[in-house]
Amino acid sequence: MPILISTKMHKKTMVMVFLGSLQGLRAHEIAKVRGEEVDIVGGTLKVQGKGGVFAILPLHPEVARLAADMPRKGWWFPSRTDPKRSMRPKSVTNTLKALMVRADVPNTGHSLRHWFGTMLVDSGTDLKTTQELMRHASLADTQMYVTVKDKRKFEAIARLQLGPVA
């Protein structure tokens, strides 16, 4: 992630990266972000996810900082051909993929969501909270997104203690 955000990019592309990596948004969710759904003062982001289900997410401070310069009303990422519509999800995917190619990062835009889940767990967030932040219907879905680093495995084993042996 540090390599990616140090790569030169347009401001809107950076906002997309932060929405994917710090809010865990899918490409179709990023495409449809509207200024009215971002509450900088209240620190929340309203997202319409899969199946049209709405969720209110805590707004990451870095996303709030970037939001201050984004439109307060209307699409953050309007269609180039029709500003009354949002950008297509495929355009978000292509924008993020092009950035990753320039940064020499062998991933896709969706990998930002995987990074989000992994970093939540790696920082000590329990799996149930991670599931809710990722808006997954099942814990099994969340587990597929999260990579457990070897360091965490070693730390887990090192914490095990046996009581007195009788």
Side-chain angles (χ1 to χ4, degrees), residues 18-136:
F18 279 50
L19 288 169
S21 60
L22 299 177
Q23 297 291 160
L25 300 191
R26 301 168 177 99
H28 76 92
E29 295 166 340
I30 292 170
K32 293 187 167 112
V33 172
R34 298 177 63 85
E36 298 89 340
E37 297 164 345
V38 181
D39 181 354
I40 297 172
V41 175
T44 61
L45 171 64
K46 185 177 181 181
V47 177
Q48 185 177 7
K50 283 186 173 182
V53 176
F54 282 94
I56 306 291
L57 301 174
L59 188 63
H60 189 281
E62 285 298 314
V63 175
R65 182 182 61 77
L66 290 172
D69 294 330
M70 296 299 286
R72 299 270 191 240
K73 294 186 181 214
W75 304 113
W76 275 11
F77 311 104
S79 165
R80 289 187 182 150
T81 57
D82 181 3
K84 294 178 183 173
R85 291 187 10 238
S86 71
M87 176 184 269
R88 292 173 312 149
K90 185 68 174 167
S91 296
V92 172
T93 300
N94 292 343
T95 298
L96 293 173
K97 181 61 181 175
L99 172 65
M100 291 187 179
V101 167
R102 280 196 326 274
D104 201 27
V105 174
N107 281 312
T108 64
H110 196 69
S111 63
L112 298 174
R113 192 164 155 77
H114 286 263
W115 185 89
F116 173 75
T118 298
M119 291 301 104
L120 284 172
V121 171
D122 204 39
S123 70
T125 305
D126 64 89
L127 212 48
K128 180 64 178 164
T129 301
T130 301
Q131 174 193 356
E132 290 190 16
L133 289 170
M134 294 188 79
R135 296 158 338 275
H136 283 148

